[in-house]
Amino acid sequence: MTDARHPIDGPFAWTGEELASNGRWIREFTDEEIERIDRTVSAYEKSGRPWREAGRDSLPLEGFDALFDDMADTLENGLGLYRLRGFPIERYDQDALKAFFLSFGDHLGIPVSQNLKGERLNAIEDEGADANEYGVIGKEAAGSGFRSSRARAFSSAALRFHTDRCDVVGLFCARQAKRGGHSKIASAVAIHNAMLARRPDLLEELFTDYPRSRFGEELKDASEHYMLPVFTAKDGKFATHYSRTYVEAAQLNPAVPRLRPEQDEALDLLAELAQELCYEMTLQPGDIQLLNNHVLYHARDPYEDDAASGGNRLLYRVWLAMPNSRALSDGFEVLFGNTDPGTVRGGIWPPDRAYQIAL
C-alpha cells in the first residue's frame, strides 16, 4: 500500500550506502557503440542542419533500442536512475554534443521545453550576473536578494534537493569545475519510509497542500501561487514534487496562506533525511545521468570554475516526458498539464505551444 501510514517497498527505496554497492545502474559505452555514434553524428554534421533540429528521425541512433528499453524500465520500475559513462567528449565540438544529446533524449522519451523560449536543451553553467534575469527579488545591494530556483541553477551556488518539472531529467557532462560541484541524489521513497519510522506526524504534513510560486519560471514576481502536496500517490504508485525555493517564494507574498509551523518542520526533516540518505558523486566529462523526478531528489554543491585551465563546469540538460510514466495525482495539472500516464506532460512552454506534440 502506498500512503502515509505504510512503508513503501521497491527497488527505488534505496539509501546512499546501498546504492554505492549496487553497480547495476552504471554502464559503459562500448567501442562498437561509440563507432556507431561517430558515424551518425558525422553524417548529421555534414548535412548542415542546426543542432536544434536533431532528433530520432534526423539523427537516428541505430542499434540502441535494447539500451533505451532497459533505461526506460530501470527509471520507472527499478532504481529510478541510470548512468552511462565513457562518451568521448574530446572528439566533438559543442554543437555536435548538443545534437547527439538532444537526439538521445528524443529516442528515450520526448524532450519538453524548459523555458518560455521553447528551448528543449539547456546548457547548465555559471552565467554570473546574467543568471539574475531568471528572477531575483530585492536587488538593492549587490549580491543580495531572493533568487529563484532557475537563477540558482545557472550560477555556481549550491542547489538544495529538489525535483524538476518533468518525468525524467537527463544531464550530459561536457566539463567539470575546477573545484566542487559534487552531485547528490536521494530517494524520496527512502525519505518517506524513514520519516514514517521517525516522525509519522510530520510525514502526514507532506501529504497536505503547500503554497508554491512559479517565480523565475512563468512569473517575474511572487504574485501568484498554486497549492500542491510534496508527497502523493495514485493507482498504487508514489510521486513527489518538491523545491523548497518555490515554497519560500510564495511566502514572500503576504496574500498567500502562511505555512503552519508543522509544515515547515516537515520540510526541515525532509532536508535532513535527504542529506543523511543521499548518494554523493561527481559527474565526469562524458557521463550521462538520468533521474526519475517522481521518486528521486537531486542537489549540487557549490563550485569554483577556472576557465583558463578548462575547469569551467558545463552540463547539457534535457527534460523528458516518458512513454512508460506513472499516473499523477489530481492537482499536478498546474505543472504538468496532463496527469495521465505515458503522455506528453511537464516542462515550461511558450503560451502557444504547450503540449502540442504526441508520444
Side-chain angles (χ1 to χ4, degrees), residues 123-140:
I124 307 300
E125 57 188 331
D126 181 14
E127 297 186 359
D130 290 341
N132 291 345
E133 72 173 278
Y134 304 116
V136 177
I137 296 176
K139 296 182 283 187
E140 293 77 14

Side-chain angles (χ1 to χ4, degrees), residues 163-241:
T163 59
D164 289 344
R165 196 164 153 180
C166 56
D167 294 325
V168 165
V169 55
L171 293 173
F172 184 22
C173 182
R175 294 191 302 267
Q176 194 45 269
K178 172 186 176 182
R179 186 177 295 109
H182 306 302
S183 298
K184 299 176 182 178
I185 307 166
S187 164
V189 180
I191 293 169
H192 170 285
N193 293 345
M195 196 175 290
L196 176 63
R198 194 175 302 184
R199 288 292 302 273
D201 58 319
L202 294 184
L203 176 61
E204 293 283 355
E205 294 293 339
L206 296 179
F207 282 82
T208 66
D209 280 341
Y210 281 74
R212 325 272 192 102
S213 171
R214 290 194 181 117
F215 169 56
E217 293 184 341
E218 291 93 345
L219 300 179
K220 295 183 178 180
D221 55 36
S223 59
E224 298 180 25
H225 75 283
Y226 60 96
M227 306 295 290
L228 197 68
V230 176
F231 289 165
T232 65
K234 178 75 175 288
D235 297 341
K237 281 199 169 186
F238 170 92
T240 185
H241 185 78

Side-chain angles (χ1 to χ4, degrees), residues 124-129 131-132 136 143 145-162 176-177 179-184 245 298-305 313 315:
I124 307 300
E125 57 188 331
D126 181 14
E127 297 186 359
N132 291 345
V136 177
F146 181 91
R147 290 192 296 172
S148 69
S149 288
R150 188 164 172 78
R152 298 177 196 209
F154 290 89
S155 75
S156 60
L159 292 179
R160 294 179 290 185
F161 285 99
H162 65 282
Q176 194 45 269
R179 186 177 295 109
H182 306 302
S183 298
K184 299 176 182 178
T245 302
H298 57 284
R300 180 190 75 203
D301 287 341
Y303 64 89
E304 177 186 344
D305 279 341
R313 192 174 192 267
L315 278 72

Side-chain angles (χ1 to χ4, degrees), residues 244-263:
R244 194 161 190 173
T245 302
Y246 295 140
V247 177
E248 293 170 343
Q251 294 297 295
L252 297 175
N253 181 356
V256 169
R258 299 295 90 184
L259 287 181
R260 292 179 288 103
E262 296 83 2
Q263 288 182 301

Side-chain angles (χ1 to χ4, degrees), residues 11 64 174 193 275 346:
F64 288 87
N193 293 345
Q275 181 61 41

